[in-house]
Amino acid sequence: VPVPVPVPDAAQLKKKQKNKERRERQKASRTENRLPEGADRIVWTLDEEIEWFCQQFEMGLRHATREQAAETRSIMSALKSATAPLARKRQLMHVTIPDYRERMSQDIDWIREMRSSLWKKD
């Protein structure tokens, strides 16, 4: 006795097609996010970002007024706090210096240039 094969209706076919398209988009986005071979990208940890912020603040404290110094110290203590939520720390960093990741990468680029120029002089 032959077993009847269920015929999918239009809604099921449409759903399968959408799922297939979604999987293809996800696969494409994963491959787009990958860096090409030999690409140089710096991935910062939160601790490194906080350390960079504190260095920037300490340099700024030299020329700050009392009010600015008090605000800077409170931000630094919040960033260094072990109990402060990570979202709060990120929010403080973005509010204080909105493009801080770009500035950090510029600092690293500058350091690399200085190092390479020092090695060339030898």
Side-chain angles (χ1 to χ4, degrees), residues 55-118:
Q55 289 174 355
Q56 298 299 310
F57 285 144
E58 288 168 1
M59 288 189 292
L61 279 176
R62 297 178 189 153
H63 307 289
T65 62
R66 285 185 182 183
E67 293 82 22
Q68 290 171 334
E71 183 180 345
T72 300
R73 286 190 185 100
S74 70
I75 292 172
M76 284 175 50
S77 67
L79 290 175
K80 291 180 179 180
S81 171
T83 59
L86 297 179
R88 174 73 177 139
K89 291 179 181 183
R90 292 240 183 248
Q91 178 189 26
L92 282 171
M93 291 190 284
H94 277 289
V95 167
T96 309
I97 304 175
D99 60 341
Y100 71 93
R101 288 191 176 129
E102 182 180 323
R103 289 190 187 183
M104 289 173 70
S105 64
Q106 288 172 354
D107 284 354
I108 290 299
D109 292 341
W110 181 80
I111 290 169
R112 286 182 180 162
E113 288 175 19
M114 295 301 292
R115 285 183 183 166
S116 66
S117 66
L118 289 175

